Amino acid sequence: QVTLVESGGGLVQAGGSLRLSCTASGSNFMIHSMGWYRQTPGKRREPVATITNGGTINYAPSVKGRFTISRDNDKNTVYLQMNNLTPEDTAVYYCNFIGRVEGAPYNTWGQGTQVTVSP
């Protein structure tokens, strides 16, 4: 079993920055890709940024140039640096890891962290 713990959300004014972290714990697991998603009430969860084991990165068009995803393989951690935040970035942010644990595939989500951007 792989468990994810997120941190770093909060309240910030427009134009400000936040850094989210998500760390995986467990035993005998491999990580193939990591990602950040976000969801607002009444809407579907949408991808924000993803990074694969090979280093391929994808961003949603709305965050490209403002957000940066990175990973620390030694710490099984993925980060999301969010700069120049706008009220439209307000959402619950979830991390997602995909890989294999004890030979079986897994697709695991973090508990979510609230990001609120005030005008």
Side-chain angles (χ1 to χ4, degrees):
Q1 183 177 356
V2 176
T3 302
L4 305 182
V5 176
E6 302 180 29
S7 61
L11 173 64
V12 65
Q13 288 188 328
S17 298
L18 284 174
R19 188 192 195 206
L20 307 182
S21 300
C22 177
T23 299
S25 62
S27 58
N28 298 323
F29 69 96
M30 298 174 57
I31 303 169
H32 295 164
S33 68
M34 305 170 169
W36 289 96
Y37 294 71
R38 66 187 181 187
Q39 188 171 22
T40 55
K43 294 189 177 181
R44 299 183 66 175
R45 193 171 297 182
E46 62 178 12
V48 175
T50 59
I51 182 169
T52 69
N53 206 27
T56 300
I57 293 175
N58 287 288
Y59 293 103
S62 59
V63 307
K64 195 173 292 186
R66 301 186 298 121
F67 290 11
T68 302
I69 188 171
S70 61
R71 61 191 290 170
D72 185 331
N73 292 332
D74 291 338
K75 296 181 179 179
N76 294 323
T77 298
V78 65
Y79 305 96
L80 186 67
Q81 177 66 44
M82 304 185 293
N83 298 328
N84 194 20
L85 285 159
T86 73
E88 288 68 36
D89 295 316
T90 295
V92 178
Y93 284 71
Y94 297 89
C95 60
N96 172 251
F97 282 28
I98 296 172
R100 300 188 77 84
V101 55
E102 298 183 344
Y106 72 86
N107 185 333
T108 299
W109 294 88
Q111 80 277 14
T113 186
Q114 177 70 46
V115 171
T116 302
V117 184
S118 62

